[in-house]
Amino acid sequence: MVLFKDGDVILGVVYIPPEYTAYSSPDAFGEIESEYLELSSKYENIFMVGDFNARTASEKDYIFIDENDKNNELECVSVNDVCNLNLFNIPIDRNSMDKGKNRYGNQLLELCKCNSLFIMNGRLATDIAGKFTCRNASVVDYCLCNVNFIKNIISLNVLEFSHLYSDVHCPLFICLNCNQSVKESIEQNNFTGQSNKS
């Protein structure tokens, strides 16, 4: 059994069909947000991975709130989650080799901003460039997480394309830090009546 220090982890595997196709849904990101809000009321550690068919370029996936800004109309702002990225030596701004954006990209960025989710592509040392994930031309496959889970992500790598895994997408390889707990199992020897520990 593998356990995380801070309790249960919710992993969301996402596939959003490309926009402007017969299978696209105008409210796909709204549905993801509803699920996220429901789950985040029960669980602290949440991350999502998958094909969002969203192109976000290197645009910000966060809103920085300066509590010292006199023009700031938000009251009682003490900690902005984006400031916590520095605690884990993760850059606030991210890189992407994909310079294009689409409508789904805007929706993904809004989802992140409104829910304090962060795109890990282009932020970790193992993918600091924000490598292409599709057709060697775009980034549409992402790993997103909330600030509580960031400390558990050791690395994210975009692997070489392989027909074994997909028709056009490169696999994402994510390495997580966890506590490994080995549970002792006791087998009862039916013939001798003795217990064997394995």
Side-chain angles (χ1 to χ4, degrees), residues 152-181:
N152 295 309
I153 299 180
I154 296 172
S155 64
L156 180 149
N157 288 298
V158 179
L159 303 181
E160 292 296 317
F161 172 75
S162 169
H163 286 286
L164 180 64
Y165 299 116
S166 174
D167 55 346
V168 295
H169 296 267
C170 297
L172 296 183
F173 179 81
I174 302 163
C175 186
L176 303 176
N177 182 23
C178 60
N179 286 344
Q180 189 166 7
S181 170

Side-chain angles (χ1 to χ4, degrees), residues 10 36 39-40 43-48 117 144-146 149:
I10 300 298
Y36 175 77
L39 290 168
S40 63
Y43 302 97
E44 289 186 12
N45 299 300
I46 299 177
F47 81 111
M48 295 179 237
L117 289 166
L144 312 178
C145 68
N146 61 5
F149 193 72

Side-chain angles (χ1 to χ4, degrees), residues 4-132:
F4 284 86
K5 290 179 184 178
D6 300 324
D8 293 331
V9 174
I10 300 298
L11 164 63
V13 179
V14 177
Y15 172 69
I16 298 177
E19 57 183 331
Y20 308 118
T21 65
Y23 303 102
S24 65
S25 167
D27 198 32
F29 287 91
E31 292 170 19
I32 291 172
E33 183 172 32
S34 294
E35 288 264 339
Y36 175 77
L37 291 172
E38 182 182 335
L39 290 168
S40 63
S41 67
K42 301 173 192 167
Y43 302 97
E44 289 186 12
N45 299 300
I46 299 177
F47 81 111
M48 295 179 237
V49 64
D51 178 1
F52 290 80
N53 272 302
R55 298 178 67 191
T56 61
S58 296
E59 293 211 7
K60 294 182 183 345
D61 55 354
Y62 62 87
I63 298 171
F64 181 75
I65 301 169
D66 184 355
E67 60 188 40
N68 299 317
D69 184 358
K70 293 181 178 156
N71 296 324
N72 184 358
E73 296 178 10
L74 298 173
E75 296 180 12
C76 303
V77 174
S78 56
V79 176
N80 188 208
D81 278 342
V82 73
C83 297
N84 290 327
L85 292 175
N86 289 329
L87 297 175
F88 307 113
N89 295 318
I90 295 175
I92 290 175
D93 292 319
R94 63 189 177 85
N95 300 307
S96 179
M97 294 175 73
D98 186 356
K99 304 306 176 197
K101 261 183 66 185
N102 62 9
R103 187 171 57 97
Y104 277 4
N106 289 328
Q107 291 179 7
L108 176 58
L109 292 169
E110 279 303 305
L111 173 74
C112 291
K113 290 175 184 177
C114 293
N115 297 285
S116 293
L117 289 166
F118 296 97
I119 297 171
M120 299 314 294
N121 305 54
R123 272 201 169 100
L124 300 174
T126 50
D127 182 38
I128 200 67
K131 294 178 189 168
F132 292 126

